[in-house]
Amino acid sequence: PNIILDVANFSLMQRKLMTEYDFHISASMNTYENVEFEYLMREEIVIVLNRSHPLAKKKLLHMSELREEPFIAGWRGSSSNTLMVSLCHAAGFVPKFCAYYSEMERIFRAISENEGISIIPYDSLKDTLKEHEDLTYAFIADPGNYRLLKLCWPKKNFESRRNQMFREYALNYFADLEKRLMEEKQKELEEKQYSASAGGGAVTVTVSGKKEVLSVKLSEEVVDPDDIEMLEDLIVAATNEAFRQAEEDSSQMMSQLTGGLGGLGGGFPF
């Protein structure tokens, strides 16, 4: 009962916590006196691009590949912008901001209009891709490719039962949310297809992310009844390469999910 939701930057919310509010959900890395917090979930950060962009076909990008790109950012001082700048600085360059927009929808529209690229939380993007079919995204291969959401509250000598219940609810809710996001990414992996060729394109094999062979295409000139052994070798070579691509993609994405590529403190700080 009587739960009030609001949006504000952390410095303002930190002051309000002491006078007006019971809780604040923040992605800020700052800490303040008289404010306690508990981590809720690890929030994946991805690069959002227009599908016509030269890098749009890649599902994993290094920040160094974005050195010359124009960046579209949210409001100055937001945790997303701070993380964007940190990733760029760690890769050895200063981001070139071409625009700042306070609304996420305006950022997506700007990317659709090829104004630039942006870096945003993955879970803010899922539903948007259905509305903006001209947008796509790539995961970030560099360390620090996520932010941590935390639930903050003022230190008090006494805590009401209502506040205890809300904190327990928030922790359970975000634990379930993170699990669902991981399951969605795993499903996305399984539905992807990978193709590889051998013999100069004479044999092409396509497999799924579930490690199932979906198709085998042979050119007429490679089907020689007197040399079946060569055909068998080409099929094996193409199949192994397709599976290697699928395994590499799976390993990279799972590293993103588990923080295996490093990050802020090398993963969850607990």
Side-chain angles (χ1 to χ4, degrees):
N2 302 319
I3 296 295
I4 300 174
L5 302 179
D6 199 357
V7 177
N9 65 59
F10 191 72
S11 58
L12 174 61
M13 188 59 70
Q14 192 267 341
R15 293 195 298 271
K16 287 191 172 185
L17 271 176
M18 308 313 299
T19 57
E20 301 178 33
Y21 297 148
D22 294 309
F23 292 100
H24 174 50
I25 294 177
S26 171
S28 171
M29 292 183 289
N30 296 329
T31 57
Y32 294 89
E33 292 184 9
N34 301 317
V35 175
E36 296 183 297
F37 67 88
E38 192 160 352
Y39 287 103
L40 295 172
M41 67 175 288
R42 178 183 185 273
E43 192 173 35
E44 192 74 30
I45 304 296
V46 297
I47 303 163
V48 186
L49 317 91
N50 191 293
R51 287 189 181 276
S52 64
H53 194 284
L55 298 174
K57 293 185 178 180
K58 301 183 70 172
K59 295 304 294 181
L60 188 71
L61 288 170
H62 290 271
M63 290 299 299
S64 58
E65 299 178 75
L66 310 178
R67 184 181 299 271
E68 302 301 323
E69 297 293 333
F71 283 85
I72 301 168
W75 69 82
R76 290 176 174 85
S78 68
S79 58
S80 295
N81 282 13
T82 301
L83 182 56
M84 191 184 308
V85 172
S86 297
L87 285 167
C88 293
H89 285 178
F93 69 94
V94 177
K96 301 174 182 178
F97 290 112
C98 64
Y100 293 89
Y101 297 114
S102 59
E103 297 179 0
M104 192 69 73
E105 176 57 31
R106 185 65 187 89
I107 293 176
F108 293 139
R109 192 159 69 247
I111 301 173
S112 294
E113 296 169 357
N114 275 314
E115 291 184 27
I117 66 173
S118 191
I119 297 178
I120 67 168
Y122 172 76
D123 59 313
S124 299
L125 178 68
K126 297 178 300 174
D127 295 333
T128 301
L129 291 178
K130 301 175 184 177
E131 303 172 5
H132 295 272
E133 296 182 355
D134 54 344
L135 300 185
T136 187
Y137 67 93
F139 291 103
I140 301 172
D142 302 61
N145 49 21
Y146 61 89
R147 65 182 186 176
L148 298 174
L149 289 183
K150 56 188 179 182
L151 181 67
C152 308
W153 64 91
K155 293 180 180 178
K156 297 178 179 178
N157 294 327
F158 171 78
E159 183 177 45
S160 69
R161 176 57 181 159
R162 182 191 65 141
N163 285 14
Q164 293 175 1
M165 291 173 64
F166 180 79
R167 186 166 70 243
E168 181 179 343
Y169 166 80
L171 292 172
N172 290 335
Y173 173 84
F174 279 95
D176 290 341
L177 175 60
E178 188 169 37
K179 180 180 178 181
R180 290 200 304 272
L181 290 174
M182 186 173 293
E183 290 172 348
E184 288 176 8
K185 290 184 181 180
Q186 183 62 44
K187 182 179 179 182
E188 179 183 335
L189 265 179
E190 293 176 352
E191 292 176 349
K192 291 185 67 174
Q193 296 184 9
Y194 305 85
S195 296
S197 299
V203 175
T204 300
V205 176
T206 300
V207 304
S208 71
K210 295 176 68 174
K211 310 299 191 300
E212 297 174 341
V213 176
L214 300 178
S215 68
V216 177
K217 295 182 179 180
L218 310 175
S219 60
E220 292 184 5
E221 60 269 20
V222 80
V223 183
D224 184 355
D226 297 324
D227 196 357
I228 296 298
E229 185 175 347
M230 182 190 72
L231 177 58
E232 291 174 341
D233 290 343
L234 291 176
I235 293 175
V236 170
T239 302
N240 286 339
E241 173 58 22
F243 279 137
R244 186 198 65 77
Q245 293 177 17
E247 182 60 34
E248 181 181 24
D249 205 11
S250 176
S251 297
Q252 289 173 341
M253 187 174 289
M254 293 312 294
S255 290
Q256 299 288 332
L257 293 175
T258 60
L261 288 175
L264 305 175
F268 272 121
F270 50 76

